[in-house]
Amino acid sequence: MTKYGSFPGSRPRRLRGTPVMRRMVAETRLHPADFILPAFVREGVGEPVPIAAMPGVVQHTRDSLKKAASEAVEAGVSGIMLFGVPEEGKKDALGTPGTDPDGILQVAIRDVRAEVGDDLLVMSDLCLDETTDHGHCGVLDEQGRVDNDATLERYAEMAQVQADAGAHVVGPSGMMDGQIGVVRDALDQIGRDDVAILAYTAKYSSAFYGPFREAVASSLKGDRKTYQQDPANVRESLRELALDLEEGADMVMVKPAGPYLDILARVADAVDVPVAAYQISGEYSMVEAAAEKGWVDRDRAILETLTGIKRAGARNILTYWAVEAARMVR
């Protein structure tokens, strides 16, 4: 056989020949500890409410949420990110349930901490969108625009009540300028320097949030393009990253994950803090819908998407498949 360059002496296929060989030389490995489970808890329901746009995901009752947290511990998952869905009549312009110690999110944090203690990191979404009657992530001014600085005052209160409820980690997700610094100061003021901040550093204005609107019973009017990032931009994310780190973020995150793997790789290369990525509702629903049609192998697609996210640089992945994926990779 004629020799072409290093062929036939060099044959990369030798390292792909058997499952054991492929496993041994794998450059990226998924582990249960990589995963964080996003979970929704809804006030005033007697049984879990299926989310039509996210097959297999529910709005939990308080009791079913505790069961889900215990299952996450058993599977070896690292954390659970909680989103509270208050009764519709309790929403208002200021998002009052978000700072009410007896609001559904704060109640859920206490429930989960009582159930699992420190065996699972209890993380809380720090944002107003689930609790405002207009559905925006902040309070509005007289012209109906999101008021950045007035919103920061609300975030400071939220951080303190979530910490008091027992959150190990708070996740400011509203993309307000200065939010990380304000939240850090608010926590430190009440002596909670032990509570970590997972910064939603690069949160893009994405079409893939669609199913999430149902999950949190969103009341959104309009869009969030004035505060979430433009999908066309890269350097803007790096600027947000620098600001979040300067303000005291302990961990940083890119959201969504799959459509923004280039951003994730740039962020991961730039920092020495843990980097997370959120595989959001639309990413989940696309795979589930295609699998239901028989167009993709569901389990393979799940693991391939998660592997791609980790390969791009994510230390941790928020995914609705967290418990299932953890069991798969064990």
Side-chain angles (χ1 to χ4, degrees), residues 50-57 208-215 280-289 292:
I51 300 168
M54 300 176 68
V57 181
F208 293 98
Y209 295 129
F212 185 86
R213 306 280 190 252
E214 179 189 349
I280 66 170
S281 58
E283 299 176 73
Y284 172 92
S285 296
M286 285 193 301
V287 171
E288 291 288 348
E292 183 181 3

Side-chain angles (χ1 to χ4, degrees), residues 284-305:
Y284 172 92
S285 296
M286 285 193 301
V287 171
E288 291 288 348
E292 183 181 3
K293 293 282 189 180
W295 293 342
V296 299
D297 180 316
R298 179 180 179 275
D299 290 357
R300 285 186 62 194
I302 290 171
L303 293 180
E304 186 173 339
T305 59

Side-chain angles (χ1 to χ4, degrees), residues 35-222:
F35 303 129
I36 297 166
L37 175 67
F40 309 101
V41 56
R42 179 171 170 178
E43 188 174 23
V45 295
E47 58 185 26
V49 179
I51 300 168
M54 300 176 68
V57 181
V58 301
Q59 294 172 326
H60 285 286
T61 66
R62 290 175 60 187
D63 285 339
S64 70
L65 177 66
K66 290 187 287 187
K67 181 180 178 181
S70 294
E71 290 175 349
V73 172
E74 292 170 4
V77 169
S78 287
I80 186 167
M81 175 65 79
L82 300 179
F83 298 85
V85 183
E87 292 179 308
E88 191 67 26
K90 294 185 178 180
K91 296 181 181 182
D92 60 22
L94 297 177
T96 299
T99 50
D100 180 354
D102 294 320
I104 183 59
L105 179 54
Q106 287 69 253
V107 169
I109 293 169
R110 290 196 292 270
D111 283 346
V112 175
R113 280 301 303 270
E115 184 74 13
V116 300
D118 292 329
D119 292 338
L120 187 70
L121 286 175
V122 179
M123 304 177 170
S124 53
D125 180 57
L126 201 163
C127 194
L128 290 170
D129 58 322
E130 295 104 46
T131 59
T132 53
D133 55 12
H134 47 73
H136 278 287
C137 297
V139 297
L140 306 182
D141 63 17
E142 294 178 355
Q143 286 74 45
R145 302 169 301 187
V146 174
D147 186 325
N148 191 94
D149 294 4
T151 299
L152 294 181
E153 296 179 16
R154 301 289 293 133
Y155 286 3
E157 294 180 60
M158 291 184 76
Q160 292 176 342
V161 297
Q162 290 178 4
D164 286 342
H168 295 102
V169 181
V170 296
S173 61
M175 290 301 290
M176 297 296 119
D177 294 341
Q179 64 183 13
I180 302 304
V182 165
V183 167
R184 184 71 269 162
D185 286 347
L187 292 169
D188 291 349
Q189 285 170 15
I190 61 169
R192 296 308 306 273
D193 58 359
D194 58 320
V195 176
I197 298 177
L198 170 60
Y200 284 60
T201 291
K203 184 178 181 181
Y204 282 88
S205 180
S206 172
F208 293 98
Y209 295 129
F212 185 86
R213 306 280 190 252
E214 179 189 349
V216 296
S218 175
S219 304
L220 181 65
K221 301 175 180 65

